[in-house]
Structure formats: C-alpha cells, structure tokens
Amino acid sequence: MSKSLSAWVTELETRMHDVAGLWCRTLARTIACRPTRRRNAPRSYGLEQLEARQLLTANLGLAHAPIYDTPALQLSTSEVIKTLSAGEQNAGGKGTASAPALKNYVYSVVGNAGDATYVDGTTVKIVNPTSSGLALVGGGTDVDEAFRWMGAKANGGDFVVLRATGTGAYNSYIDALVPALDSVATLVISTVAGAYDSFVVQKIQEAEAIFIAGGDQADYINLWRNTPLEAAIYDALARHAPIGGTSAGLAVLSEFDFTAQGGTITSAEALANPYDSRVILDSGFVNDGDFDTAKSGQHSVLQYLDNLVTDSHFQQRDRMGRLITFMARIDQDPASDPFPRGIGINEQTALLVDEDGTARVVGNPIIVSRKLSAADQQRAVYLLSATATSIMSVNASGLTYKDILVAKADVGDTFNLDTWFAGSGVSTYHISAENGVLSSDQFVDKKLIY
C-alpha cells in the first residue's frame, strides 16, 4: 500500500529535523543551538545518561541512520545531507578506514582494518596471546586506567567497542591511550538483523578485547540476546579476550541483568514494591552459564559474576535500595543459588578483575568544585552479599530483606571475587531493608552515607 501524502510529509519533516539537529550540533561550539523535540518521537524508556563520548542519541531518531565519528561533524549542511543520502561512514585517526553504512550496523575503525595477524612464510599467526579480565565501569566520564588495562591485556590486538546507538568516538580515545593496539573499532548494531550479520560476527570473533558502551541496556537485550553476536562474544572470551562495559554495558555483564525493558526505577520505588512491573531481571544474555553451554564445559571470566547483579551511577543516583531489591528478587527465584550478590559502582570508577578473580578499584581524580564536593564524587565500589538471615518478605509497607553484608572498596583497595574476600583497605558493614526503609550504621540523620 502506498503512503499517503500526509505520511510522506511527516517523513520528510522528520528527515529534515534530523539533518538540522546535526547542523546545530556542528555549530554548538560557537553559538547556542539546540534541536527541538521531534514531533511524535517515541518514548525512550530505561535510558541511562549517555556517556560523554556519545555525540548523537536515539532520541534524535538516528538509531538506523549513519552515526558519525568526530571528523564527520565538521561537514557543511549540504555535505551532511549528501553523506546521509549516500550512506557513507567516516572514521578518523591513524590508518583511517571506512565502510559503507548498512541498515543493520555502522562500522568505523582506526588502525588496521584487517585481523591482528601477521604472515611468516605461508603461516598466519596471531600477533600475541591475550589475558582474560573484566573491566566493570560505573558510568560517567570514562576511566582512562580501565582502557589502558584492557589494552595491555589485548597485547597489540584488535579492540572492539559495541553499542546500539552513538558514534565511533571511542576509537581515537582508546587509540591514544593504547597506541600499541593493532586497531580500535566500533560497531553500532541497532537492529536484530545486524546481530546476525556475518561481518559483525567476524569482527567480534576476531577481537582481542571487547567493550560494551553505555546507552540503554534494553536495546542490548532486545536486539542481541540469543543471536550470533552473543555467540561471537563467547568465541572471543574462549580466546581469553578481556571484556568490559560501562553503565548499560556494565548492566548486561552480570548473570542477572536489570533490563530496563519496563522503564527505569528509583530506590524508593523499588523498595516500596519489589514486584513493580519495572523490576525485570534477565539471565539470558552474556553469562558464564551460556558460555559453558556453548564451549562444552569451559568457564570464562564471567564466572565471577554468577548469581550476581550489577548497578552503575551508584552513589550519584542513590541506587543502594534498588540493588538490594534486585538481590531480594533473585533470592526468591527457585532456580538461583542461595545468597545472591550485587556490585554497585560509582561514576568515574572501575573494578578491574583479573582471570583468577582478584580485583582492584581504579578511578579518575576528584576535582572539588562549588557544585560537587569530594563526598559527592567518591570513587568507590560496593560489594553486597546476602547472609543466612537475609530472608525476604513483602507487605503493604514494602520490602523487608535484612542483614546484607556490604564491603566498600575505594581506589587502590583490593577484593577477590572468587572467594568473596575483602583485601587491603576495604571497610565492611551491614544494611537492611525493613518495610521499605533502609537502615544501617552508615546512616547519619536518616541519610545513607556512601
């Protein structure tokens, strides 16, 4: 059936708005120019604050259009229109390369666009062995040390960033931090078909490091779960490629993921009703159980996130209550192991986990300002575990779930995720939810002291 005239007009208006939005962002350095809200734009539920390096968002309707790295934003309006029509993808940095922007994915790379291999006579060999690891990042401004650590483990190989919306701006950032890498590439996969694409699968299979960017974890679960893309991640992990994620990318690395498929939820809302329709937990995407099935009895570094749920922007968005609620729901799952665990990570903070389970906390320097005190910028990780007395009950007044052991690790502190044993510098305390209200010796004047 052909489109009506009004439908064509609406589509034309939408396309022109998107181009105008790009043009405004190009001029934003010199004039105050903000795109207006799109008419009839779809609601973006469960959307985390997009990280600083994501230059375009799905809110502008660009999830299925070419998404540009920094150099492309310098184009004139006419060039932007021409490039959108041609479906070209620009990439910047050393040894630049580009590929056509397909409907199913957008690919950009700096460095070697091929696999990190070399030829010795007639034999093709992998450049260097990799070392497994987990980089668990709490969102906000990216943590340089986390990428240096992952890059060192990639050992001169290919670093691949995965996202459902956004740009390839991570490419030049990571390349500058770890210039020894063979390449840094970004795959923006915004459709289910893209998760089945052979090019996408091959690039992930060949990766020596994988990082899942921030955004909306509902996209990752809806588009990528139980696809060849997920299987390709397991192929890379089997070769001991390190893996990491920030914000939404962190949320999908644990065995149990808060999916945000029904929208985001605050601590107060979750504590008041742990069976709120928005409290959706999934265990079907990127976990060691699926890796074990795919790789016939092997285990990956993801095993340290078994029976566990993660959360990001932890102190900054006051998420202790909702993380405890997620743990309580896991505790009620008859298929889960007893004593569920949780990891909450503050912004600009990362927990770096080696292949034996030993972990340390790193973070960006604290810059005290009039708007943000040092207390509001803590670089800390919170490791929660249920105890034998952590019995969940729910009544009209909310969640009761007592005696959760909390280990708080600051920058430089260490912890072992394999034995769940606190190392140097870690402080511990207990926290409980009773009738929807948190209590702990960490409270002062009824405020939780993170």
Side-chain angles (χ1 to χ4, degrees):
M1 181 179 296
S2 60
K3 292 185 179 179
S4 65
L5 177 60
S6 61
W8 281 112
V9 170
T10 300
E11 180 173 339
L12 178 60
E13 179 190 46
T14 297
R15 288 179 177 270
M16 293 304 297
H17 180 281
D18 290 342
V19 171
L22 280 173
W23 183 64
C24 287
R25 287 175 177 268
T26 304
L27 297 179
R29 293 180 179 178
T30 55
I31 62 174
C33 181
R34 296 181 62 187
T36 57
R37 185 181 298 274
R38 281 184 58 187
R39 187 177 73 178
N40 299 326
R43 184 170 66 98
S44 298
Y45 57 82
L47 188 66
E48 291 283 2
Q49 178 181 345
L50 301 184
E51 306 313 324
R53 300 184 194 285
Q54 182 168 324
L55 304 180
L56 302 176
T57 76
N59 288 348
L60 293 178
L62 292 169
H64 303 292
I67 300 173
Y68 297 97
D69 203 347
T70 306
L73 293 178
Q74 310 308 315
L75 298 176
S76 67
T77 304
S78 61
E79 288 173 322
V80 169
I81 295 173
K82 178 180 178 182
T83 306
L84 279 168
S85 302
E88 296 173 353
Q89 166 64 28
N90 290 325
K94 68 179 184 184
T96 58
S98 61
L102 305 181
K103 181 178 179 180
N104 299 329
Y105 69 87
V106 176
Y107 173 73
S108 61
V109 62
V110 296
N112 175 23
D115 192 15
T117 60
Y118 69 95
V119 178
D120 179 12
T122 59
T123 304
V124 178
K125 301 178 180 179
I126 298 296
V127 173
N128 291 310
T130 55
S131 175
S132 295
L134 284 167
L136 309 177
V137 189
T141 303
D142 295 302
V143 181
D144 293 355
E145 179 59 25
F147 291 97
R148 291 193 185 99
W149 181 83
M150 288 188 70
K153 285 182 172 292
N155 207 7
D158 298 315
F159 196 116
V160 174
V161 178
L162 303 178
R163 60 196 319 165
T165 60
T167 76
Y170 266 113
N171 295 354
S172 56
Y173 164 65
I174 297 172
D175 176 65
L177 290 173
V178 195
L181 288 167
D182 183 62
S183 72
V184 184
T186 296
L187 284 164
V188 183
I189 307 112
S190 57
T191 66
V192 174
Y196 280 82
D197 192 281
S198 59
F199 178 84
V200 170
V201 171
Q202 180 183 358
K203 286 300 177 184
I204 297 172
Q205 286 174 328
E206 294 174 349
E208 275 71 51
I210 296 172
F211 187 79
I212 305 176
D216 185 349
Q217 59 259 43
D219 287 339
Y220 301 149
I221 291 169
N222 292 337
L223 301 174
W224 301 353
R225 179 178 52 187
N226 298 327
T227 67
L229 182 155
E230 181 179 359
I233 292 175
Y234 298 145
D235 290 337
L237 292 177
R239 295 188 294 101
H240 305 288
I243 188 169
T246 184
S247 191
L250 167 69
V252 297
L253 290 179
S254 48
E255 178 180 1
F256 295 97
D257 310 329
F258 170 58
T259 69
Q261 289 168 308
T264 193
I265 191 167
T266 66
S267 286
E269 292 167 337
L271 288 167
N273 180 12
Y275 290 100
D276 187 295
S277 61
R278 292 169 291 176
V279 181
I280 304 172
L281 300 174
D282 173 79
S283 61
F285 181 66
V286 186
N287 62 77
D288 192 62
D290 288 349
F291 175 89
D292 178 33
T293 299
K295 299 301 173 184
S296 303
Q298 298 181 48
H299 287 283
S300 71
V301 70
L302 293 172
Q303 66 184 295
Y304 302 122
L305 302 182
D306 279 350
N307 201 40
L308 187 148
V309 59
T310 56
D311 211 347
S312 58
H313 306 278
F314 199 65
Q315 172 200 11
Q316 289 74 18
R317 302 187 188 179
D318 190 20
R319 287 179 166 174
M320 180 70 79
R322 81 174 201 172
L323 183 58
I324 288 174
T325 302
F326 297 159
M327 291 171 58
R329 287 290 304 271
I330 295 169
D331 205 345
Q332 291 299 290
D333 184 348
S336 66
D337 296 329
F339 311 132
R341 294 167 172 169
I343 297 179
I345 304 179
N346 283 353
E347 292 182 359
Q348 302 195 51
T349 308
L351 185 67
L352 306 180
V353 186
D354 280 311
E355 51 193 336
D356 63 355
T358 58
R360 63 185 175 93
V361 179
V362 299
N364 292 335
I366 293 176
I367 301 175
V368 179
S369 67
R370 294 180 179 179
K371 293 183 178 180
L372 291 173
S373 67
D376 291 331
Q377 296 185 75
Q378 288 189 69
R379 315 301 188 216
V381 175
Y382 302 81
L383 302 114
L384 283 62
S385 56
T387 65
T389 56
S390 300
I391 306 301
M392 174 185 174
S393 64
V394 182
N395 56 38
S397 300
L399 172 68
T400 294
Y401 194 56
K402 296 184 178 181
D403 297 326
I404 307 299
L405 178 63
V406 180
K408 179 188 175 186
D410 297 308
V411 171
D413 293 350
T414 60
F415 195 90
N416 191 300
L417 295 187
D418 185 30
T419 61
W420 208 256
F421 181 78
S424 61
V426 177
S427 59
T428 60
Y429 58 96
H430 286 81
I431 193 167
S432 296
E434 189 164 7
N435 297 327
V437 178
L438 292 181
S439 62
S440 168
D441 53 9
Q442 297 294 301
F443 278 79
V444 174
D445 296 330
K446 298 183 179 181
K447 181 179 179 181
L448 176 62
I449 304 301
Y450 280 91

